[in-house]
């Protein structure tokens, strides 16, 4: 009975807290000192846990940064829209090393992060940036190109939380041609982080990019990215399973090991991509860096069950001429096992091909959206 009374009192206390508001719709949640504002979501979550309210639509008006030791929880069905008037490069969500983000979407109620403009377009806002303590071959204390987060270390099993059923759209705002956001960026994120079911749409740069670390990801839908769709670099040791890519502007997949030291940086990138479909899309998408851009040392890249649609460029892969990439290709470190290529793809230099040459359905249905991705419709 005492437990029941205590639980009722706790629930009443939380209800009173959640009902308190002012003109800015303030809401202090859980045990954090952070003041949550539905129509002015920004600032630093420095401690405790902040949980968003899935019945609200939040307006992101600046950078929202989860500091080390704090946690941000985003329940299923939560919607976050970027400000329609703020500078696009100031609008992002970032998770520092030793912080956590728990995106708890479901197929029926995904978490949505999108543009707040009446007519949304790529690059309307930044995107989601996560930093971890995983190993990166550029050094243990790098700084992310956007968000200025420190990342890297020696814990490839590090956890930054989880991402499940996230739809993130109209990201990729640009500071310069060389400094821009992606849809979702993983900097040194460890394998303890659970990543499943992400849909990126209309990113002004890459859809999803991994910078080192060892995080694994599954069920990725990447549509209309205006640079590369899936990108990895800097010693990433992870796997990507079930990847559907459509609307390729540069490369379907761009993979490298290290831009400054393509021959000797350790750990060498060791990427495993399983069940992947790459579709160029309509005439507006060029795919001028091919289905796969094997770049800057390349590293170990193993593709299994690859489907490349008709309409892609004749060269399956764009191959870097640096010594590291040349050596890795010669060593058989670039492999494709079981594949189906459209009739337009006629040049196969670079990867070592093996297994079946027809019948591979990539992400599950060849050029069509696979059933596991029906939630993105």
């Amino acid at each position: 009975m005492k437990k029941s009374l205590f639980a009722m009192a706790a629930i009443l206390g939380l209800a009173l807290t959640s009902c308190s508001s002012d003109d800015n719709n303030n809401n202090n949640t859980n045990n954090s000192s952070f003041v949550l504002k539905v129509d002015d979501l920004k600032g630093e979550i420095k401690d405790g846990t902040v949980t968003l309210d899935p019945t609200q639509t939040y307006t992101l008006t600046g950078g929202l940064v989860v500091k080390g030791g704090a946690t941000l929880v985003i329940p299923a069905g939560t919607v976050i829209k970027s400000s329609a008037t703020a500078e696009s490069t100031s609008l992002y969500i970032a998770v520092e090393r030793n912080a956590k983000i728990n995106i708890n979407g479901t197929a029926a109620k995904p978490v949505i992060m999108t543009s707040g403009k009446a007519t949304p377009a790529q690059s309307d806002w930044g995107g989601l940036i996560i930093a971890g303590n995983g190993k990166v071959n550029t050094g243990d204390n790098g700084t992310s190109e956007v968000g200025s987060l420190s990342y890297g270390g020696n814990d490839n099993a590090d956890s930054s939380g989880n991402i499940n059923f996230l739809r993130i759209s109209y990201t990729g705002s640009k500071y310069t041609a060389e400094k821009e956001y992606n849809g979702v960026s993983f900097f040194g994120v460890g394998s303890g982080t659970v990543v499943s079911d992400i849909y990126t749409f209309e990113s002004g740069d890459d859809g999803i990019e991994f910078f080192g670390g060892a995080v694994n990801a599954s069920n990725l839908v990447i549509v209309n990215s205006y640079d590369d769709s899936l990108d990895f670099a800097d010693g990433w040791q992870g796997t990507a399973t079930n990847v559907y890519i459509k609307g390729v502007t540069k490369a379907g997949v761009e993979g490298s090991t290290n831009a400054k030291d393509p021959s000797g940086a350790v750990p060498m990138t060791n990427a495993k991509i399983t069940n992947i479909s790459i579709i160029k899309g309509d005439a507006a998408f060029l795919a001028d860096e091919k289905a796969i851009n094997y770049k800057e040392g390349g590293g170990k890249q193993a593709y299994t069950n690859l489907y490349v649609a008709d309409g892609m460029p004749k060269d399956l892969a764009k191959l870097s001429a640096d010594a590291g990439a040349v050596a890795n290709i010669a060593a058989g470190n670039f492999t494709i096992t079981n594949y189906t290529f459209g009739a337009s793809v006629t040049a196969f230099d670079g990867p070592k091909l093996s297994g079946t040459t027809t019948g591979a359905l990539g992400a599950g249905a060849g050029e069509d959206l696979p059933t596991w991705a029906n939630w993105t419709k």
Side-chain angles (χ1 to χ4, degrees):
M1 186 64 178
K2 289 181 179 179
K3 289 183 179 178
S4 298
L5 290 172
F6 179 81
M8 290 175 65
I11 292 170
L12 179 60
L14 287 173
L16 291 172
T17 301
S18 64
C19 289
S20 66
S21 63
D22 59 21
D23 292 341
N24 290 320
N25 201 1
N26 293 354
N27 186 6
N28 288 314
T29 61
N30 299 329
N31 60 346
S32 175
S33 61
F34 180 75
V35 178
L36 180 62
K37 299 182 180 181
V38 171
D39 57 359
D40 188 19
L41 184 61
K42 66 180 179 182
E44 296 182 341
I45 301 172
K46 295 181 179 179
D47 53 29
T49 298
V50 168
T51 302
L52 301 190
D53 181 351
T55 68
Q56 302 286 349
T57 295
Y58 292 85
T59 300
L60 185 70
T61 57
L64 178 65
V65 181
V66 188
K67 304 291 286 184
T71 299
L72 173 63
V73 178
I74 308 181
T78 304
V79 177
I80 301 172
K81 292 187 176 182
S82 63
S83 167
T85 57
E87 168 57 46
S88 63
T89 54
S90 72
L91 303 171
Y92 60 91
I93 298 173
V95 182
E96 287 190 347
R97 284 191 297 198
N98 304 311
K100 284 184 169 58
I101 186 168
N102 295 327
I103 296 176
N104 298 327
T106 66
K109 294 182 177 181
V111 169
I112 296 173
M113 300 178 182
T114 190
S115 169
K117 292 187 177 180
T119 305
Q122 51 108 352
S123 300
D124 276 353
W125 67 290
L128 175 61
I129 310 157
I130 303 175
N133 293 294
K135 187 66 178 176
V136 182
N137 68 21
T138 54
D140 291 348
N141 287 288
T143 302
S144 61
E145 61 183 355
V146 291
S148 298
L149 303 187
S150 297
Y151 69 95
N154 290 288
D155 185 5
N156 266 354
D158 187 31
S159 174
S160 298
N162 64 268
I163 301 176
N164 297 105
F165 291 99
L166 168 66
R167 176 173 181 148
I168 183 165
S169 307
Y170 306 111
T171 56
S173 60
K174 307 176 190 301
Y175 288 94
T176 68
E178 301 300 323
K179 187 178 180 182
E180 53 220 347
Y181 294 89
N182 302 307
V184 184
S185 301
F186 296 92
F187 287 91
V189 174
S191 62
T193 310
V194 176
V195 178
S196 177
D197 296 281
I198 298 178
Y199 174 28
T200 74
F201 179 68
E202 291 283 333
S203 172
D205 195 56
D206 301 336
I208 298 173
E209 184 161 7
F210 301 97
F211 299 86
V215 63
N216 304 308
S218 62
N219 296 359
L220 308 178
V221 177
I222 306 172
V223 177
N224 295 4
S225 297
Y226 290 87
D227 191 12
D228 308 308
S229 298
L230 177 67
D231 199 338
F232 51 83
D234 301 342
W236 181 51
Q237 305 292 298
T239 65
T241 304
N242 299 339
V243 183
Y244 181 81
I245 291 170
K246 186 173 183 179
V248 179
T249 301
K250 290 191 176 178
V253 179
E254 180 173 281
S256 61
T257 191
N258 186 289
K260 295 182 177 180
D261 186 6
S263 297
V266 292
M268 179 189 294
T269 290
N270 187 359
K272 297 178 178 65
I273 317 296
T274 302
N275 305 337
I276 174 170
S277 295
I278 301 175
I279 301 99
K280 184 171 76 70
D282 61 32
F285 298 98
L286 303 175
D288 56 359
E289 291 182 352
K290 320 308 178 191
I292 302 170
N293 184 8
Y294 190 82
K295 186 180 179 183
E296 296 167 345
K300 294 182 179 179
Q301 297 185 30
Y303 298 81
T304 303
N305 192 15
L306 169 64
Y307 178 93
V308 179
D310 196 13
M312 290 292 288
K314 70 178 183 65
D315 294 294
L316 175 66
K318 180 179 180 181
L319 305 174
S320 177
D322 68 78
V326 171
N328 276 316
I329 290 170
N333 286 333
F334 181 15
T335 63
I336 299 174
T337 305
N338 301 337
Y339 52 89
T340 297
F341 301 145
S344 62
V345 183
T346 57
F348 313 108
D349 295 343
K352 179 181 178 182
L353 303 176
S354 64
T356 60
T357 60
T358 58
L361 295 177
E367 189 164 345
D368 296 328
L369 190 71
T371 56
W372 56 260
N374 282 342
W375 70 275
T376 66
K377 292 181 178 178

